Amino acid sequence: MAQILAPSTQWQMRISKPSTNASPMTAKMWGSLLLKQNKKGATRSSSKFRVLALKSDNSTVNRIEDLLNLDVTPFTDKIIAEYIWIGGSGIDLRSKSRTISKPVEHPSELPKWNYDGSSTGQAPGEDSEVILYPQAIFKDPFRGGNNILVICDTYTPAGEPIPTNKRARAAEVFSDKKVTDEVPWFGIEQEYTLLQTNVKWPLGWPVGGYPGPQGPYYCAAGADKSFGRDISDAHYKACLYAGINISGTNGEVMPGQWEYQVGPSVGIEAGDHIWCSRYILERITEQAGVVLTLDPKPIEGDWNGAGCHTNYSTKSMREDGGYEVIKKAILNLSLRHKEHISAYGEGNERRLTGKHETASINTFSWGVANRGCSIRVGRETEKQGKGYLEDRRPASNMDPYVVTSLLAETTVLWEPTLEAEALAAQKLALNV
């Protein structure tokens, strides 16, 4: 991200009442990828779903479309809540729906729920019940109205977090007084790649072949350079509708690859917003008939990988004299490099090679305006003597709860020995 601004006043724990003029985001925004326009009649409002049918007449499609877009608010106070959780791989998202008797504004108003953990790789068949705890709510851009998306974390019936529940540990870190006093801000740059459905090859690439070399695709426009813009734009608007603090988007260096930014977000809010934005992206690509991958190196060879650069600052870093605090944080990060790398995503060794705007996975480095380092500090931060740092190591499939809480833990709560600190400072040429 170019800069860290003040975080939004909207927090993930409470959603504002939806505007009566708001419309859910639908598949017509990327209709060029799905259906030919109806030859008869003008283009309709973008607030309606389009339906794919393998074999059906127009009247059947229209009837299904009408049902999908039914506005039930004049007839009932009941709403649909889509409970979302992280599956057994630690990166897959699962969800199911339930009816709630009336609109809600806070997750504490929602009941706990359960699911079959043996079907998600999170529990044995003989004791398969996993409990969902609602933690954050967002407006549902697919159903519209008062319907909501609910980010949940996962527990045993006895109330213990299951191993894939990384949010619980992050909540402990972010509730520590030392951390809350520092008001940690995060701006996360989520990169992703779009694949053709049947061949699992990047969108816009010739099947079994390669496009021209990297160079003309980054932030580009044109049918021969930009592939998947409708999906990116639909996702952008859907996130804004949902109340996610999305701050921008752009085409990436490798064709078929995109990035969006979420933040600045405070504390655990960053993880909730990234996971919900990923869920929305999965749903949009599902409707578009395109496969989403967060693989950090989807194509081997002279092609950029996909990362999840994490911009980070504390109150002390943002105040006068903050550059010294930033350098102290970099020193701490250097001493825990292995711990961070092990938690920064699967397959990251294929991406962090020292090439394609990455640092080597085996060596910690930092620099001003250097995108080939582990930690980058912006020119403006150096000039003003305060600001933020960018951790460029996280992979695109990283868990934001893990990365954000680990950054806070290492830079705020953890203290190295004086000897280790002195050696690291000398090695990194940091005068702390």
Side-chain angles (χ1 to χ4, degrees):
M1 298 176 69
Q3 58 181 335
I4 294 291
L5 305 175
S8 68
T9 55
Q10 181 178 13
W11 293 74
Q12 88 284 8
M13 298 302 289
R14 185 178 296 275
I15 61 172
S16 58
K17 294 180 180 179
S19 166
T20 56
N21 296 321
S23 298
M25 302 309 301
T26 71
K28 272 201 174 178
M29 295 198 62
W30 55 94
S32 60
L33 297 175
L34 301 177
L35 300 170
K36 294 181 180 179
Q37 292 294 325
N38 192 326
K39 294 181 180 179
K40 298 180 181 180
T43 302
R44 296 163 62 189
S45 165
S46 64
S47 64
K48 301 294 182 184
F49 281 97
R50 296 304 301 271
V51 180
L52 284 173
L54 294 178
K55 186 177 182 181
S56 179
D57 57 32
N58 287 338
S59 62
T60 301
V61 172
N62 289 338
R63 287 199 297 271
I64 295 174
E65 191 173 334
D66 289 342
L67 288 171
L68 279 172
N69 291 289
L70 274 179
D71 181 10
V72 300
T73 51
F75 310 103
T76 180
D77 290 332
K78 294 178 180 179
I79 66 167
I80 302 172
E82 190 75 22
Y83 278 47
I84 303 164
W85 71 95
I86 300 163
S89 71
I91 189 65
D92 61 309
L93 285 162
R94 310 293 180 111
S95 74
K96 60 178 183 172
S97 312
R98 71 178 297 167
T99 303
I100 305 297
S101 61
K102 63 180 181 179
V104 300
E105 294 185 0
H106 195 276
S108 63
E109 301 174 61
L110 293 167
K112 295 175 184 176
W113 206 6
N114 65 75
Y115 67 93
D116 172 17
S118 68
S119 296
T120 61
Q122 293 172 294
E126 64 272 14
D127 187 15
S128 64
E129 193 168 280
V130 179
I131 312 302
L132 293 169
Y133 287 32
Q135 298 292 359
I137 55 179
F138 299 87
K139 290 181 287 185
D140 187 338
F142 304 102
R143 295 186 174 114
N146 292 319
N147 302 302
I148 55 175
L149 304 177
V150 185
I151 295 295
C152 304
D153 59 355
T154 45
Y155 295 81
T156 67
E160 294 295 323
I162 67 172
T164 52
N165 180 358
K166 306 303 182 184
R167 191 186 191 280
R169 169 58 184 160
E172 291 179 7
V173 172
F174 287 120
S175 63
D176 188 288
K177 188 178 185 304
K178 287 184 179 179
V179 176
T180 57
D181 287 349
E182 283 291 347
V183 195
W185 291 2
F186 299 94
I188 299 177
E189 306 172 27
Q190 176 69 68
E191 294 180 343
Y192 62 93
T193 308
L194 300 173
L195 304 177
Q196 300 168 54
T197 306
N198 296 325
V199 294
K200 301 295 177 67
W201 200 238
L203 197 66
W205 290 38
V207 176
Y210 296 86
Q214 294 183 155
Y217 309 108
Y218 174 69
C219 296
D224 59 340
K225 295 181 286 293
S226 179
F227 312 111
R229 186 185 300 277
D230 286 348
I231 291 172
S232 174
D233 279 358
H235 178 250
Y236 199 165
K237 289 188 176 181
C239 285
L240 288 172
Y241 178 96
I244 291 169
N245 192 22
I246 188 169
S247 50
T249 185
N250 60 267
E252 266 303 330
V253 176
M254 189 184 88
Q257 191 178 90
W258 292 81
E259 175 190 300
Y260 64 93
Q261 302 90 34
V262 171
S265 306
V266 179
I268 203 160
E269 177 191 51
D272 291 337
H273 282 231
I274 282 289
W275 276 117
C276 192
S277 71
R278 286 176 174 177
Y279 175 80
I280 290 172
L281 185 57
E282 288 276 17
R283 289 282 302 276
I284 288 173
T285 53
E286 170 191 321
Q287 291 190 21
V290 174
V291 175
L292 167 69
T293 179
L294 298 182
D295 189 300
K297 187 70 173 179
I299 302 296
E300 296 298 328
D302 195 17
W303 304 98
N304 275 33
C308 209
H309 304 154
T310 303
N311 300 274
Y312 167 64
S313 71
T314 62
K315 184 172 181 286
S316 298
M317 294 178 188
R318 298 187 294 269
E319 294 176 343
D320 290 342
Y323 194 41
E324 292 304 311
V325 182
I326 290 172
K327 289 196 291 183
K328 174 62 166 63
I330 292 171
L331 189 150
N332 280 21
L333 290 168
S334 74
L335 292 170
R336 300 190 79 191
H337 178 62
K338 289 183 179 180
E339 290 90 335
H340 281 252
I341 287 295
S342 66
Y344 274 15
E346 294 295 323
N348 212 11
E349 71 282 351
R350 293 182 284 116
R351 168 180 162 262
L352 295 180
T353 61
K355 300 177 181 179
H356 305 113
E357 301 180 70
T358 70
S360 168
I361 195 170
N362 298 313
T363 306
F364 181 89
S365 58
W366 81 284
V368 176
N370 187 344
R371 283 178 164 75
C373 285
S374 308
I375 304 294
R376 181 183 70 88
V377 175
R379 289 284 181 203
E380 194 67 16
T381 294
E382 181 188 42
K383 180 180 177 181
Q384 293 188 358
K386 58 184 177 181
Y388 68 98
L389 61 84
E390 177 192 31
D391 191 341
R392 297 181 59 81
R393 296 171 295 174
S396 52
N397 59 7
M398 63 83 151
D399 187 326
Y401 294 135
V402 174
V403 170
T404 56
S405 61
L406 193 53
L407 280 168
E409 179 184 293
T410 296
T411 62
V412 178
L413 301 178
W414 184 75
E415 284 293 338
T417 65
L418 291 176
E419 182 181 9
E421 188 177 77
L423 289 172
Q426 184 178 18
K427 182 178 179 180
L428 296 172
L430 281 167
N431 298 315
V432 178

